Amino acid sequence: MEKLKITETCLRDGHQSLIATRLTTAEILPILEKMDQVGYHALEVWGGATFDACIRFLNEDPWERLREIRKRVKNTKLQMLLRGQNLLGYRHYSDDLVEKFVQKSIENGIDIIRIFDALNDVRNVRVAAQATKKYGGHCQMAISYTISPIHTIEYYKNLAQEMEKLGADSIVIKDMAGILLPDHGYKLIKELKSVINVPLELHTHATSGIASMLYLRAVEAGIDIIDTAVSTFAGGTSQPATESMARALAGSPRDPQLNMTLLKEIAEYLKPIRKKYVDNGTLNPQALFVEPSILEYQLPGGMLSNLVSQLKAQKASDRYEEVLKEIPRVREDLGYPPLVTPLSQMVGTQAVFNVLVGERYKMVPKEIKDYVKGLYGKSPAPVNEEVRKKIIGDEEVFTGRPADLLEPEFETIKAEIGDLAKSDEEVLEYAMFPQIAKGYLENKYKPVEKKKIHNINIVF
């Protein structure tokens, strides 16, 4: 049997899940040479919320972070997470802009691009996948895992086969809520591996307390790669600990053969950094607690904390249980979308409105209206007809690929930002987050006040 491969997530999903993506480039760079020698399959270092957080909160250039990481990592593949046609933003972007973003990601150092669509609508990952292969990257397509009457093993087998036909170099089961039960995971992996001929990876979160058990069953089922995080940024809403999984499998036929001495040094390096985020309140202890109720409500850990914040802001914290019960009802009404960005936020907000307003779908956010109109893609099951009529009346539902409605936009955006963007990478920053990127670039390039040189009379 081949040894198990490990993708290390602490530099992307680990700190995104626990400290709201606040690790700085200066905190990351000093430990990279050691991480490069551990024996990982890949380091997940970019994408997801890192791009947004760099510009919005850290006053950093995300592209420069990637280049600096690449300079120091010579032996290990660098991986990123991409939201298909949404890239790293929150809307669909035109095909030319998607291709440009993928091209620049690979040029600046990314090897593996993990591409997912919140609805598992493969039409929304096709262009990003084609661009990844065109520019020499490894195209990993992600199955957004969820549970519903239509999300059967047969559904996932058909989806995986469709992804392989589209050119996936590997496929990952993306269990973003940590709800894949160990025995079901075993069966799912066995069935998927019986119909695909590319490596299969498994990503989960430790929120519900079953992740490590799932991973051991996955290894028995023949999973090729699993995602883990160094212990300092593991557990809770993050992934299971790298060291723990490596120890559990040591000496077995699937032993990942990681350098345990280096792993200990990496964990020790990160401890004072974690302490800083504990002390300043960024790391909420709640994120480390086991929350088995997620298995009942199927909510990602971050979605729970968002709900708490929303209700607190409305002085309605006492309605929390009502909202939790409303979320599955909304999800069923909307055709069982997987609860992953941006659908998790949209479904959660609609559930809050339904409870607080006192009448279901009396108040509906624009995003939900667009979803019902088909502008996010095809819902896994049909939207409840009565709910659809209440939300959009007799408006026509678009059944095509949403990006087909978009004109090429890269050159238009480039002209709009003008000389403020000094590279295509900075144009892409502006395309993702127009307001915050413009402020960031203005600050980055504001002229330094020239020192006034006074005339000095020199007497000879």
Side-chain angles (χ1 to χ4, degrees), residues 36-52:
D36 193 26
Q37 299 301 321
V38 167
Y40 291 119
H41 164 66
L43 296 175
E44 190 191 46
V45 298
W46 212 62
T50 60
F51 198 91
D52 186 351

Side-chain angles (χ1 to χ4, degrees), residues 11 63 146 240 334 348 358:
L11 300 182
W63 298 98
T146 191
L334 297 181

Side-chain angles (χ1 to χ4, degrees), residues 152-341:
T152 61
I153 285 180
E154 209 55 40
Y155 167 93
Y156 288 121
K157 283 168 70 176
N158 291 334
L159 180 59
Q161 288 175 294
E162 202 173 348
M163 289 175 167
E164 189 173 16
K165 281 179 191 166
L166 267 179
D169 296 307
S170 62
I171 291 171
V172 60
I173 303 165
K174 180 178 166 59
D175 176 26
M176 57 280 177
I179 58 173
L180 179 55
L181 295 170
D183 279 352
H184 190 71
Y186 180 89
K187 290 172 192 164
L188 177 61
I189 291 158
K190 280 282 192 187
E191 291 287 336
L192 289 180
K193 287 188 73 68
S194 74
V195 296
I196 60 172
N197 297 302
V198 294
L200 184 64
E201 187 159 354
L202 177 58
H203 173 92
T204 192
H205 290 254
T207 326
S208 66
I210 63 168
S212 296
M213 293 176 264
L214 167 65
Y215 274 173
L216 288 176
R217 290 292 276 149
V219 170
E220 290 172 12
I223 199 75
D224 298 292
I225 313 160
I226 60 171
D227 289 4
T228 62
V230 164
S231 55
T232 322
F233 284 106
T237 51
S238 177
Q239 282 72 55
T242 304
E243 303 97 306
S244 305
M245 292 307 304
R247 292 279 187 205
L249 296 165
S252 76
R254 306 296 315 274
D255 186 344
Q257 298 171 11
L258 301 183
N259 186 319
M260 300 305 296
T261 302
L262 284 178
L263 279 175
K264 187 174 182 181
E265 291 175 21
I266 294 162
E268 289 300 318
Y269 167 80
L270 290 169
K271 279 180 181 175
I273 295 171
R274 179 182 64 184
K275 184 178 185 303
K276 180 185 91 173
Y277 291 106
V278 171
D279 291 346
N280 69 17
T282 304
L283 176 52
N284 184 338
Q286 192 75 34
L288 293 169
F289 295 162
V290 174
E291 186 54 78
S293 65
I294 281 173
L295 296 170
E296 181 183 350
Y297 296 118
Q298 302 176 30
L299 309 182
M303 189 175 173
L304 285 175
S305 54
N306 283 344
L307 284 179
V308 171
S309 299
Q310 279 183 299
L311 291 171
K312 195 174 179 182
Q314 297 297 322
K315 295 183 172 53
S317 298
D318 58 321
R319 313 292 295 277
Y320 181 63
E321 284 294 328
E322 287 178 71
V323 173
L324 281 183
K325 288 173 183 168
E326 176 65 8
I327 285 169
R329 295 177 66 201
V330 171
R331 187 167 166 258
E332 181 179 354
D333 290 341
L334 297 181
Y336 297 107
L339 294 177
V340 65
T341 303

